[in-house]
Amino acid sequence: MILTTKSELFRGSREVLRDSYVPSRLPHREEQIRRVAEILAPALRGDLPSNILIYGKIGTGKTAVVAQIRQDIQRRSDLASGVTFITLNCGNIDTPYSLLQTIANGLAKSDAERIPTGWSLDRVQSGMRRLMDTRGGILLLVLDEVDRLVARSGDNILYTLSQINTELETARLAIIGISNDLKFTNHLDARVRSRLNEEKVLFPPYDAPQLQDILRDRAREAFREGVVDPGVVERCAAYAALENGDARRALALLRLAAEMAERDRAKRITPDHVVKAKNRLEQDIIVDCCRTLPPHCKVLLYAILQSFERRRNGVLTGEVYDSYRRLAERLGLQPLHARSISNYVSELESLGLIRATIVSRGRGGRTREIIVDVPISETMPALEEDPLIAPVGRPKPRGQMLLTNFDNPARTDTF
Ligand SMILES: Nc1ncnc2c1ncn2[C@@H]1O[C@H](COP(=O)(O)OP(=O)(O)OP(=O)(O)O)[C@@H](O)[C@H]1O
Ligand SMILES: [Mg+2]
């Protein structure tokens, strides 16, 4: 039999159903696109727009809308020559230091201009200001998932950025914050809140008919004609509408349903494939969630999984911190302080990956005991595939032979 990779279902690239793809049309977000574009319009005339906070639950199109507006503004290059977008996903950034460094390095035109690791925070800040002034014009800083940055490191960094215009000479900065925590501004200092909140745009969840429109657009682009059975789009939309009206979830269901159909060597995608996809998705969400954690948080999660796998029992935060520190050092990373790691424990808990309960240690005070809430057999290999974790991951068995150190079992311990 000749194996062919040509799909019978997909028209061309599968990327059309992936998160990174920015579709040309975003149905049911016309009002939000108009509002955000209107607020940013002064930038095209060289004037500083207001800061904006964009709110909405997960998968409501916040990132996609801003990406589309960015493309639109950049396309009008004659008008937009004095406008520079800097887009950061704060979910992947560990510290205020790396935030400033990433902003600065995004503006650097050559390696010589880039800010190396090891400078003091003040020096990074003035280096960043210099790069901003060298670029000049209007800088639009998109801080996606800004709530995660604040939960991790507080709002000092937002204060610094929101008053930076008083220190810039030729450039002017406007901030576009994106958050899926609707109460995010309650945690901000009043000064920061009023500066960031100059304009607010809310993204409501999609209902089932709206999700159907979004899916139909994508299905038309992704699949050959006639391969999607009636009921498929409706079922994906119905499941996702129940789960907070999340378009990402709806698209993931459609993509996975297609993969299930391919696995069955079916010529069409049926509603049954959507049911199978829904079951599979629960597992995949965990793996994806691990993959998008910031570096130190990944190392921490791996340390927790390793300890938990050995013990098959709850592990205390002190032990977890020691394991984390050893792993970080082996990876050549400067370990973060216990306080930051404690914030990451809370973050992993809010993502539903672990559970942490406070336990009393007699006179020794109180500590937290951590229990892993995901299947270790799938989560560990997923993390070990990550280039960051791979160097400290468990050795993969080669060929038929599995080497075990029977003489000294302690040596098989990875710590
Ligand atoms: N109106 C829409 N039309 C077409 N596709 C959409 C629409 N809204 C969202 N999507 C798609 O759904 C997925 C999720 O959207 P997006 O990443 O913008 O959500 P988000 O609000 O930023 O979510 P999060 O808060 O989790 O970051 C993306 O693949 C995006 O292209
Ligand atoms: Mg987003």
Side-chain angles (χ1 to χ4, degrees):
M1 191 175 74
I2 300 170
L3 279 177
T4 163
T5 53
K6 196 161 179 298
S7 168
E8 298 202 16
L9 302 177
F10 285 90
R11 205 182 268 284
S13 164
R14 291 155 196 255
E15 289 306 305
V16 175
L17 294 180
R18 297 222 168 261
D19 233 22
S20 48
Y21 180 78
V22 183
S24 53
R25 242 168 56 94
L26 295 168
H28 305 294
R29 284 292 92 121
E30 295 80 5
E31 173 60 21
Q32 285 74 13
I33 293 173
R34 195 185 53 74
R35 284 269 338 264
V36 176
E38 224 169 67
I39 298 166
L40 295 181
L44 291 168
R45 303 189 296 269
D47 294 330
L48 185 67
S50 303
N51 292 327
I52 318 178
L53 260 184
I54 293 178
Y55 295 80
K57 293 204 171 153
I58 58 169
T60 51
K62 301 180 297 294
T63 301
V65 161
V66 173
Q68 198 189 66
I69 290 174
R70 177 187 171 138
Q71 281 180 359
D72 276 358
I73 291 186
Q74 285 172 336
R75 217 173 285 137
R76 297 196 249 169
S77 57
D78 47 332
L79 289 168
S81 56
V83 183
T84 305
F85 267 93
I86 312 160
T87 305
L88 298 184
N89 187 330
C90 303
N92 307 325
I93 292 178
D94 278 312
T95 57
Y97 185 100
S98 55
L99 180 81
L100 295 183
Q101 195 185 23
T102 314
I103 296 174
N105 289 344
L107 292 167
K109 287 229 169 74
S110 67
D111 280 351
E113 280 186 353
R114 289 173 67 83
I115 292 191
T117 306
W119 283 11
S120 70
L121 187 63
D122 277 351
R123 198 169 165 204
V124 175
Q125 208 167 307
S126 58
M128 178 189 74
R129 280 200 305 269
R130 206 177 40 249
L131 281 160
M132 285 178 166
D133 275 330
T134 309
R135 178 65 63 107
I138 302 294
L139 307 174
L140 299 177
L141 174 63
V142 180
L143 295 178
D144 204 349
E145 307 193 8
V146 63
D147 45 321
R148 291 177 68 184
L149 175 77
V150 172
R152 227 174 261 155
S153 326
D155 60 2
N156 282 347
I157 187 68
L158 289 183
Y159 179 73
T160 305
L161 288 169
S162 67
Q163 57 94 59
I164 204 159
N165 285 327
T166 59
E167 297 170 52
L168 290 174
E169 283 168 18
T170 54
R172 313 270 276 136
L173 181 83
I175 300 172
I176 302 159
I178 305 180
S179 162
N180 60 29
D181 172 0
L182 306 187
K183 299 204 190 84
F184 156 69
T185 50
N186 296 353
H187 312 303
L188 298 178
D189 174 275
R191 285 168 307 176
V192 182
R193 188 187 314 148
S194 70
R195 282 189 187 151
L196 287 189
N197 239 343
E198 287 170 347
E199 294 282 355
K200 241 196 246 182
V201 182
L202 180 74
F203 282 51
Y206 297 112
D207 61 21
Q210 291 175 332
L211 288 169
Q212 287 181 22
D213 290 340
I214 293 171
L215 289 174
R216 280 206 188 91
D217 256 20
R218 290 290 181 98
R220 217 173 292 129
E221 249 185 285
F223 300 117
R224 292 176 194 280
E225 225 175 299
V227 302
V228 181
D229 269 3
V232 165
V233 159
E234 289 77 358
R235 196 168 280 198
C236 291
Y239 283 146
L242 283 177
E243 296 261 354
N244 300 322
D246 172 356
R248 183 181 299 113
R249 175 69 70 103
L251 285 163
L253 277 169
L254 187 60
R255 188 179 67 235
L256 265 180
E259 284 174 17
M260 295 293 162
E262 284 186 323
R263 201 166 299 168
D264 288 353
R265 293 169 192 263
K267 296 218 172 344
R268 308 159 63 84
I269 308 167
T270 67
D272 277 352
H273 292 130
V274 182
V275 177
K276 284 188 192 162
K278 181 174 176 281
N279 297 334
R280 219 0 249 291
L281 195 62
E282 312 284 301
Q283 280 172 17
D284 284 8
I285 284 170
I286 295 170
V287 171
D288 276 358
C289 176
C290 295
R291 224 175 262 147
T292 53
L293 294 171
H296 284 273
C297 197
K298 262 184 211 162
V299 177
L300 172 68
L301 178 61
Y302 193 66
I304 294 173
L305 291 172
Q306 273 191 332
S307 308
F308 195 75
E309 190 189 36
R310 258 181 309 157
R311 297 273 219 85
R312 294 274 153 206
N313 214 335
V315 272
L316 301 177
T317 34
E319 294 170 54
V320 162
Y321 183 67
D322 288 343
S323 310
Y324 152 79
R325 205 167 29 85
R326 280 195 292 268
L327 276 180
E329 279 164 2
R330 282 174 57 197
L331 289 166
L333 298 171
Q334 175 74 37
L336 297 180
H337 290 297
R339 171 107 204 94
S340 309
I341 289 307
S342 166
N343 289 344
Y344 273 153
V345 167
S346 308
E347 188 166 333
L348 290 173
E349 192 179 16
S350 68
L351 289 168
L353 299 173
I354 61 170
R355 261 178 300 146
T357 44
I358 294 184
V359 288
S360 176
R361 305 280 291 154
R363 272 183 300 149
R366 292 177 337 152
T367 180
R368 283 190 290 178
E369 186 181 54
I370 297 172
I371 290 172
V372 174
D373 227 3
V374 290
I376 293 194
S377 55
E378 276 144 35
T379 319
M380 271 187 104
L383 273 175
E384 284 161 348
E385 271 177 27
D386 190 289
L388 174 78
I389 302 294
V392 290
R394 295 162 302 182
K396 290 207 176 84
R398 272 205 205 141
Q400 297 290 312
M401 203 161 62
L402 188 64
L403 292 177
T404 314
N405 191 338
F406 290 108
D407 294 329
N408 184 358
R411 299 263 316 263
T412 56
D413 194 324
T414 39
F415 284 116

